[in-house]
Amino acid sequence: MIFIDYRDARPIYEQVVEKFRMLILRGVLKQDDRLPSVRNLAVELSINPNTIQRAYAELERQGYIYTVKGKGNFVSDSGQLLRKYKEELFSQLKEICRAAFETGITKEELIGYIREGGQYD
């Protein structure tokens, strides 16, 4: 389900957060699905349980999961999360487009770049 890249410069807990975010946003993990326990995931990934606990705390802070005492961690409403994530992405894209236009990149060049899947000639 989750793989850790030890060559990645980001801390392990951030990688765990990002992997779970993508699983939730892509619909792999659905609303109210139970996440693996901290202990089980730590054993599966061969990392410290505190790292998983920190990742789960961050996911909860961001609204991706919620905790039920004595039951575990569960996925929040992914539809709402996806809308929020898209808003963040489009906000970033707006800033990128503004910077591109300021440096002389045309609208057509940007559209061509997107159509080519991010390949620049």
Side-chain angles (χ1 to χ4, degrees):
M1 179 185 276
I2 291 182
F3 300 98
I4 302 300
D5 181 0
Y6 293 100
R7 293 175 291 162
D8 192 327
R10 295 177 299 163
I12 293 173
Y13 89 93
E14 286 182 9
Q15 292 183 51
V16 172
V17 167
E18 185 61 25
K19 303 288 186 189
F20 272 115
R21 283 181 61 195
M22 288 301 109
L23 289 171
I24 292 168
L25 292 172
R26 289 183 182 141
V28 175
L29 293 174
K30 308 275 189 233
Q31 182 176 349
D32 299 324
D33 279 354
R34 187 174 189 276
L35 272 60
S37 72
V38 169
R39 184 176 299 140
N40 287 345
L41 189 56
V43 168
E44 182 181 322
L45 297 176
S46 300
I47 59 177
N48 190 309
N50 291 333
T51 302
I52 301 300
Q53 186 61 45
R54 185 172 182 188
Y56 280 6
E58 181 62 22
L59 285 164
E60 187 168 12
R61 188 189 69 72
Q62 293 178 8
Y64 285 88
I65 66 173
Y66 62 94
T67 302
V68 177
K69 293 283 186 195
K71 300 285 183 188
N73 297 291
F74 298 86
V75 176
S76 297
D77 177 12
S78 58
Q80 179 182 349
L81 294 168
L82 183 57
R83 283 190 296 279
K84 181 180 172 186
Y85 186 68
K86 282 183 179 180
E87 287 174 11
E88 291 172 13
L89 287 177
F90 282 120
S91 176
Q92 292 173 11
L93 184 58
K94 185 177 182 180
E95 287 299 313
I96 290 169
C97 288
R98 183 190 56 74
F101 295 147
E102 287 177 358
T103 58
I105 297 173
T106 67
K107 181 178 176 181
E108 291 73 25
E109 287 177 301
L110 284 174
I111 292 170
Y113 180 79
I114 292 168
R115 283 196 177 124
E116 294 298 318
Q119 300 296 319
Y120 182 73
D121 293 333

